[in-house]
Amino acid sequence: QVQLVESGGGVVQPGGSLRLSCAASGFTFSSYGMHWVRQAPGKGLEWVAFIRYDGSNKYYADSVKGRFTISRDNSKNTLYLQMNSLRAEDTAVYYCAKVPGPYHAFDIWGQGTMVTVSS
Amino acid sequence: QSVLTQPPSVSGAPGQRVTISCTGSSSNIGAGYDVHWYQQLPGTAPKLLIYGNSNRPSGVPDRFSGSKSGTSASLAITGLQAEDEADYYCQSYDSSLSGHWVFGGGTKLTVL
């Protein structure tokens, strides 16, 4: 069964850091690109970051560029999102999603992990 | 302000047909990039509904269909059912300087 399970969310103060993880199972993780997508409370979906299957290329939304870092460990079947200099506007549910190719649909999504940035 | 524009809400009675539009530009849909659609039921993660403009993943009823023309795309739902009440999002790729993967603002479907 193909599955993505996020973890690492929580409450953090403005300016703080948090690292999210996304554990993959049921498919060959090292063959697929991966995205992070977030959804602020009551709002729509916002793409955050993408990493190629081998980690060779990474792309970021302007809103997180320079603050967030996407990475992966194919030996552990795990995707990461290191979030630094967090702001109130980063408060959201963060989802990881798998894609067959860069321009393809996000075909499998995790259940999400909530990040709250508040003092 | 989303790069892809969707109506905030649509509604229909059970059994009726509704459509949801997704309007883009020459740097995304009009550039030939595929449009994908996702369904998000209340309190759950998004689920892929339509990929590659008009293809349904295994398990998605044929009541759902997608199309694309020029700089726009549409999702049609026929034989509306109460369980279809959800938020729907279109998504594509944008080749502009600050672009990359983009979503529509989402459309809330209410089954009357």
Side-chain angles (χ1 to χ4, degrees):
Chain A
Q1 176 190 358
V2 177
Q3 194 173 12
L4 297 171
V5 179
E6 301 93 337
S7 61
V11 180
V12 61
Q13 292 188 340
S17 299
L18 212 55
R19 188 177 85 155
L20 306 182
S21 298
C22 168
S25 59
F27 66 99
T28 306
F29 179 70
S30 59
S31 296
Y32 294 91
M34 297 292 296
H35 289 273
W36 285 101
V37 177
R38 67 184 181 184
Q39 186 171 35
K43 302 297 184 181
L45 302 172
E46 179 189 15
W47 171 75
V48 173
F50 170 73
I51 186 168
R52 284 177 58 93
Y53 68 98
D54 58 358
S56 59
N57 291 92
K58 306 172 185 180
Y59 302 91
Y60 299 92
D62 287 347
S63 57
V64 307
K65 198 175 297 182
R67 300 187 300 122
F68 290 12
T69 302
I70 188 172
S71 63
R72 64 191 299 159
D73 186 336
N74 285 345
S75 68
K76 295 183 177 178
N77 292 339
T78 303
L79 174 73
Y80 302 101
L81 186 67
Q82 177 67 44
M83 304 186 295
N84 299 330
S85 303
L86 283 161
R87 307 166 180 167
E89 54 264 37
D90 296 318
T91 295
V93 175
Y94 285 73
Y95 298 100
C96 59
K98 158 187 170 290
V99 287
Y103 307 117
H104 288 64
F106 299 28
D107 60 355
I108 301 295
W109 296 64
Q111 87 288 350
T113 187
M114 182 70 202
V115 172
T116 302
V117 183
S118 173
S119 55
Chain B
Q1 193 84 355
S2 300
V3 172
L4 303 179
T5 301
Q6 297 180 234
S9 63
V10 297
S11 63
Q16 285 191 332
R17 177 181 187 270
V18 297
T19 63
I20 299 173
S21 62
C22 175
T23 302
S25 68
S26 59
S27 62
N28 42 69
I29 299 175
Y33 295 107
D34 284 343
V35 178
H36 318 293
W37 292 90
Y38 304 88
Q39 177 192 59
Q40 187 175 33
L41 297 170
T44 70
K47 168 194 159 187
L48 179 61
L49 193 65
I50 297 287
Y51 68 94
N53 306 314
S54 59
N55 301 290
R56 285 185 309 276
S58 173
V60 173
D62 59 7
R63 301 186 296 104
F64 295 90
S65 63
S67 64
K68 171 188 164 184
S69 178
T71 58
S72 295
S74 288
L75 172 71
I77 310 172
T78 59
L80 210 54
Q81 300 181 4
E83 67 218 47
D84 298 333
E85 188 159 293
D87 293 322
Y88 293 83
Y89 295 89
C90 61
Q91 178 258 315
S92 186
Y93 181 85
D94 190 285
S95 58
S96 64
L97 282 176
S98 60
H100 286 305
W101 292 266
V102 291
F103 287 92
T107 299
K108 170 68 178 177
L109 169 61
T110 300
V111 181
L112 302 171

